[in-house]
Amino acid sequence: YKPTTSTLGKFILSDSLEALQKLDNNSIDLVVTSPPYNIGKDYETSKTLSDYFEYQEKIITELFRVLKETGSVCWQVGNTVLK
């Protein structure tokens, strides 16, 4: 967990769930994130689809908790087609 403040705001380099759990309710104006795609990229650990969705649900729940009512989330996701 490594928060850094700049003129643009606060940036946090951390495990996302760990960082979110340390933030106050309704304290964030903007979230920009690109969660793991769970498609076997070299830098990620693949999970079963149910485990992946369960983890993403935890993240989304925390995002909702920390986001101000007037806040926004920019969520970059990808998809894949097998067979």
Side-chain angles (χ1 to χ4, degrees), residues 16 33-38 43-44 52 56 59 74-78:
S16 53
T33 185
S34 180
Y37 292 176
N38 199 43
Y43 53 83
E44 67 182 9
Y52 176 74
Q56 293 305 310
I59 297 293
C74 298
W75 184 282
Q76 168 63 41
V77 293

Side-chain angles (χ1 to χ4, degrees), residues 1-24:
Y1 183 78
K2 185 178 178 183
T4 303
T5 302
S6 80
T7 56
L8 298 174
K10 188 177 198 177
F11 298 86
I12 300 171
L13 178 59
S14 175
D15 173 82
S16 53
L17 188 56
E18 176 186 326
L20 285 166
Q21 291 170 336
K22 293 180 180 183
L23 297 173
D24 294 333

Side-chain angles (χ1 to χ4, degrees), residues 37-39 41 52 76-82:
Y37 292 176
N38 199 43
I39 58 173
K41 298 273 187 183
Y52 176 74
Q76 168 63 41
V77 293
N79 62 1
T80 187
V81 176
L82 299 175

Side-chain angles (χ1 to χ4, degrees), residues 28-32 63 67-75:
I28 302 296
D29 293 303
L30 175 64
V31 173
V32 179
L63 287 177
L67 198 65
K68 293 179 181 177
E69 286 188 28
T70 56
S72 297
V73 174
C74 298
W75 184 282

